[in-house]
Structure formats: structure tokens, C-alpha cells
Amino acid sequence: MPSWTDTVRFAFQPVVNLTTGGVAALEILARPESGDILAQARRDPELDGRLAALAIRAAARRETMLPLHVNVFAGTLADLGRLAALRDAVRESGRLPWEVTIDIVPPYTHVPHHALLEAVSTVRSEGFRICADGVGDGDAPLRLLTDLAPELVKLDASLLTRPAAVRAMRTLCEQLGALLSVEGVETELQCAAAVSAGAQLAQGELFAPPARLPAADVYVPALSPGVAAAPRSGPSVRQFVRPAALLPATASAGQVRALLTGSPDVSGVLLVDPSGIPVRSVHRSRFLLSMSGPYGHALYADRPAAKLGDPPRTVGDDATAWEVLDVVADGERDRTSDDVAVVDHYGRCVGVVRLADLVRALSESRVEEAAGLNPLTRLPGSDAITGEVDRRIADGRTFALSWLDVDHFKQVNDGAGFAAGDELIRAVGRTLQHAASGTTRVGHIGGDDFLVLAEPETLGPLAGTVLDTPWSAGGRPVTLSLATVLCAPGSVTDHRQAAACLAPLKQAAKSLSGASWVLGRAGLPGHEVLRGSGAERAQAG
């Protein structure tokens, strides 16, 4: 009588890095030929654990070097804890635990959360990585999600129709140190929405359908990086991580040569100790050149590959792309093309980054940034500021949005000439830039209009600096008007509503004489006059 294992086949679906366009990992999906073995596994933790072990063995038979994702129901993990069958399969296949991510699948209802967290702690201490799967289409409580602190969160593509929710999840992932992935992506429009919302990974029929053979080639649409994808400090190195080719530190040169000749896309091999910590880095071209020289194979084939390697260059998985470039710049010139190993807080290798990926992405971001700069002041335009406003709204942060302009600027241009007017605008822009501190963002939206986005407590010194400066154009004294709206969490829904709250405050500031500053609060009537004189000098309503 055939076993139930004879009726289960496994398919592989690539998890795609939306920054590099490469395959970051493979998710192994059970495909029963008859019956509903998955429904049984949902009720039977032992059966589910055996399915996970079979998935790993199926991947081993395909000889893929890519990291793997294996699905385990939340109830299974809580009941079995250590997942002995899965651990045995990983060891027997020659895999390292940190090459395997456990995708925790809903439902979470009736799963004892304390037991689940203990089990996650156990498997994580052994090196396995944790993914919270089915978020947005499942029943994962938000508090449990934060307690799990997964390395990866997978959102259902249906959530892309609610971009504010996706941006909020991206913010949560940043707080947790997790990557954000979208699964079930079927169209280029969905892919663009995922990038715009800040997702770093994705999978779905658009890139490649589940297949019996692991796919290394995927279709990725040409997309511009999303506004949310690159914080001011630089994009995270996690956006650029590629799977690493790993071999034990004791590997021979012959073993490394066999791996490189059988995998033309591999640019280098990292030799790791039993804990997964990189100890030597073998560069493809230099290694093969040594092996192909006179007597090279005879001299080196049976010798330790470490003798033909170099000390690894490493960065933490919390580094930025700019920090990786610093590591490359500080190294030897003949190693600029070497992969840089990315390690977790235990020092274990989680992948590599290639210099070409970083240079390409950072160059594109600089070109896009330059295209959005005002040619007169070289300050970003309104899109950069309004995008940051939306991010702060999604983060639930209080912020102050201000509108600054020159009083009677047309008369300044008419009286002093446009050159003097341009120089005045440049001088105001420079002063704003120098006065900005911390997370304050300054933008020039055209003409004599500037936007300032700041934390409420940092706005006072900036306003004092700008409004107290004796401005002039062509020898004529000039004053500035400043209008500010304070936006508490929940008071506005997006940048458009914040701008609408700011508009009447600007009119109120312009109605005052001299340098003026008017302050209002989103959702509340009236405003406060902090600078200026005139009919509205008292509290205005």
C-alpha cells in the first residue's frame, strides 16, 4: 500500500530581491497529488513536521545552493518546539541552519503564544531564521508579531490596495530589523506598488511560478526605486544581499574549483567555520587564475583552499550601503571587485553584497535626487518633503510642517531686479539648510516658497535664525513670513490634508506686518501669532 509521502511532490518558487533583481531564496511548496494532506498537517503537528523535513530533502536532491524557505504551521512550531525531523533533514542534506528560514504560517488562533515564542527562541538559537507568513491575510496579532521579531515579514499582495497599511508595516519592519516581502504578486502594477511601498523582496507568478525544478532566472520589471526605499542615511545593506556560496573552512582547492566551474554565476566562495563565521574569502577570477597556471592543479588541488583565499571583508546586516562602500574603499585596490560578506549579530554569514549592485543603486538614487532638486537652491522639491510627511504620518509621529516665503517678492524683483531676487532666494535656502538639524527636512517648492518639516521642539531655533536675520535685496530691506501647522498622530491622513491645514495659516501670516510667524494645530480651530504685528496680533480665531 503506497505511503502518503508517495503522493506529495514539491515545487520551488523564487523569492526575488527587488533591488538587485536576483533570486534571494527559494520557498518550497508541498503539492499533494491527491487528498488534502495540508489540511491534515494543519491539525497534526507531527505530520506537518515530517512534511517540512521532506521539503528540505527534496531541495537537497535538486542540488540548489540558494537559501530555502520551508512552511510550518504556527501550531506545529508551538507543539513540537525543536522540530527534530526538520533539524535532522537539514543536517543530513549538508545545509547550515541559517540557510533555512522557517515561514510560520497561520492560523494563530488557539495556539499558545508563550509556547510558540519559546519554540521560536529555541530554533533561532540553533541558527534558523524566522519569517512571519500570511500577514495581512491571516490572523497574526500585532503584539505577537512584534514579540516574534521575525527576520522577514511576508505580506499578501491583496494588501497593496491599502498602501498606508503597507507603509506602516514597512515602518514596523524597520523597527524590528526585519525585511518586508510581498507574496502573490501577479502583475507589474502590483510589483510597482510593492517597490513604492518599500518592500525589499517579493514572489509570485509575475516573477516565476512554482516549478518542479529550482529556477534561477526570473522576470523582474524595470522599476524606479520607491521613495520609501532609501532613508537619508542610505539604503540598508539588506536590500542588496545575495545568497553566498559557502564551503567549510577545511575545503580543498579542488572542491572550490568544482563549485565555481559548476556555477558560473558565483563570483566567489566564502569559507566558514563550524559556526558559519567567514574565515577566508576566495575570489573567483584570482582563484581560477592560480589553478590554471603551470602545474596549478597539481600544486593546489588537494591543498586547503584557504591558502588561496584572503581575509573576508564583512559588514553587519544593520549597515547601510554607504558603510559597505567605506569598507571597500579602505581595503586593498586589487580587491575592489570582491564580494563583501554580510553577517548577523552572531558573526554568521547571511549572504554577500556585490559592489556593482551598490554603485548602480546609489548612482540611480543620486540621479533621481538631482532631478528633483530646485536648480536655484539645489534643495529638494515638494515631492521629497510630502513623501517624508506621509512616512511620518504612517509612523504615528508628531511633526511640524512649515511654509516660508518672502513678503512682497514680486515688488522685490521689480525694484531690485531678478538677479538680486535670485540671490536672496539662494541666501534664504542656505540659511535654512545651515539651521536645519537632526531629522529636519528643507525643500524649495518654487519661486520664493520653502517647506520645512521638523520635530516641533527643533523648529523654534530654526525659526529664530531665519526670521531674525536682516534680509535685503539690492539694498532694500526684506521680511519673511512663516506659517506652521502642528500635526499630532491621527490629526491628518496624508500630506494633502496637512497642506490644506497650512494654507489658511499662510494667509494669516501674510496679513501681519514685519517678520511674522503663525502657528496652528491640525484639526483645531484658530491659530497663535508668535511673530508679527497687525490686526491679528492677539490669539486669532
Side-chain angles (χ1 to χ4, degrees):
M1 182 176 180
S3 167
W4 64 267
T5 59
D6 297 329
T7 66
V8 178
R9 299 291 180 266
F10 292 92
F12 302 86
Q13 185 169 49
V15 179
V16 176
N17 185 313
L18 292 173
T19 301
T20 67
V23 179
L26 293 172
E27 181 173 353
I28 316 170
L29 303 167
R31 291 290 186 263
E33 294 182 348
S34 62
D36 196 350
I37 193 72
L38 296 180
Q40 297 177 46
R42 176 175 167 178
R43 299 186 298 269
D44 185 345
E46 183 177 355
L47 175 59
D48 191 33
R50 292 173 64 189
L51 269 177
L54 284 173
I56 295 295
R57 292 191 173 96
R61 289 194 295 272
R62 299 301 183 185
E63 297 182 346
T64 175
M65 295 195 310
L66 290 165
L68 303 174
H69 286 241
V70 60
N71 293 303
V72 175
F73 285 110
T76 297
L77 193 53
D79 280 1
L80 290 187
R82 293 178 178 269
L83 284 175
L86 174 62
R87 292 164 62 242
D88 290 343
V90 170
R91 183 179 62 255
E92 292 165 6
S93 67
R95 286 282 188 165
L96 297 169
W98 40 93
E99 295 180 274
V100 178
T101 297
I102 298 176
D103 286 12
I104 305 178
V105 180
Y108 291 89
T109 305
H110 307 307
V111 173
H113 291 176
H114 181 70
L116 177 60
L117 293 175
E118 282 190 348
V120 165
S121 177
T122 297
V123 296
R124 180 176 274 142
S125 68
E126 295 170 356
F128 291 97
R129 302 189 180 279
I130 300 298
C131 166
D133 201 351
V135 174
D137 195 40
D139 62 343
L142 192 58
R143 186 173 69 176
L144 176 62
L145 187 61
T146 58
D147 289 342
L148 286 172
E151 283 77 22
L152 176 65
V153 172
K154 287 186 178 180
L155 294 185
D156 187 85
S158 62
L159 212 60
L160 292 173
T161 59
R162 299 167 176 82
V166 182
R167 286 195 299 269
M169 189 56 63
R170 165 65 191 263
T171 300
L172 176 61
C173 286
E174 289 176 350
Q175 300 280 338
L176 297 175
L179 293 179
L180 180 64
S181 180
V182 178
E183 54 186 351
V185 175
E186 297 180 351
T187 67
E188 295 195 10
L189 189 61
Q190 286 180 321
C191 183
V195 173
S196 177
Q200 296 103 344
L201 304 171
Q203 62 189 101
E205 296 280 342
L206 173 67
F207 310 106
R212 293 290 299 276
L213 294 176
D217 296 325
V218 294
Y219 168 73
V220 182
L223 295 167
S224 298
V227 173
R232 291 184 70 194
S233 58
S236 168
V237 71
R238 292 191 296 269
Q239 293 178 222
F240 304 93
V241 171
R242 291 176 177 266
L246 304 178
L247 283 177
T250 56
S252 68
Q255 290 175 295
V256 172
R257 183 176 183 276
L259 190 157
L260 291 175
T261 54
S263 306
D265 293 333
V266 172
S267 54
V269 176
L270 286 174
L271 305 180
V272 298
D273 69 11
S275 298
I277 298 174
V279 294
R280 300 294 282 180
S281 173
V282 179
H283 184 266
R284 180 187 187 91
S285 297
R286 293 197 299 273
F287 174 84
L288 292 178
L289 185 62
S290 297
M291 291 289 287
S292 62
Y295 311 111
H297 187 271
L299 284 172
Y300 297 117
D302 296 326
R303 298 183 67 186
K307 293 184 178 296
L308 294 175
D310 299 288
R313 295 185 299 185
T314 62
V315 296
D317 58 5
D318 57 350
T320 68
W322 294 109
E323 290 172 308
V324 179
L325 292 186
D326 289 340
V327 169
V328 174
D330 291 341
E332 302 169 21
R333 286 191 176 184
D334 62 348
R335 296 190 61 195
T336 54
S337 63
D338 287 20
D339 293 342
V340 177
V342 181
V343 298
D344 62 16
H345 63 284
Y346 294 110
R348 302 177 303 209
C349 180
V350 299
V352 296
V353 290
R354 295 180 181 175
L355 180 62
D357 289 338
L358 298 184
V359 171
R360 185 183 307 112
L362 294 176
S363 297
E364 288 173 352
S365 68
R366 282 296 174 88
V367 169
E368 289 190 350
E369 180 183 341
L373 297 180
N374 187 287
L376 185 62
T377 59
R378 307 305 294 167
L379 288 171
S382 60
D383 286 349
I385 303 300
T386 55
E388 181 62 23
V389 168
D390 285 337
R391 281 192 287 277
R392 297 193 187 191
I393 292 172
D395 293 350
R397 296 164 58 185
T398 298
F399 61 89
L401 181 63
S402 301
W403 192 331
L404 176 81
D405 72 350
V406 178
D407 294 329
H408 312 297
F409 184 63
K410 185 178 185 304
Q411 296 177 21
V412 171
N413 270 345
D414 291 345
F418 72 87
D422 285 352
E423 181 52 41
L424 172 63
I425 295 303
R426 280 193 288 266
V428 172
R430 287 194 297 269
T431 301
L432 284 171
Q433 278 185 297
H434 292 152
S437 61
T439 59
T440 298
R441 302 291 303 274
V442 177
H444 182 193
I445 59 177
D448 63 323
D449 292 315
F450 295 86
L451 281 179
V452 179
L453 176 62
E455 306 290 341
E457 60 271 15
T458 66
L459 186 59
L462 182 146
T465 298
V466 176
L467 296 179
D468 290 339
T469 298
W471 299 104
S472 64
R476 301 166 180 261
V478 173
T479 58
L480 308 182
S481 294
L482 179 67
T484 299
V485 59
L486 291 181
C487 298
S491 61
V492 291
T493 58
D494 58 21
H495 69 270
R496 297 176 185 83
Q497 194 172 6
C501 294
L502 192 56
L505 298 176
K506 179 188 177 184
Q507 294 179 0
K510 300 297 285 184
S511 70
L512 303 173
S513 59
S516 61
W517 183 12
V518 167
L519 174 71
R521 289 169 173 78
L524 298 177
H527 59 265
E528 184 180 355
V529 177
L530 302 179
R531 295 278 189 106
S533 59
E536 297 189 15
R537 179 60 190 153
Q539 182 80 11

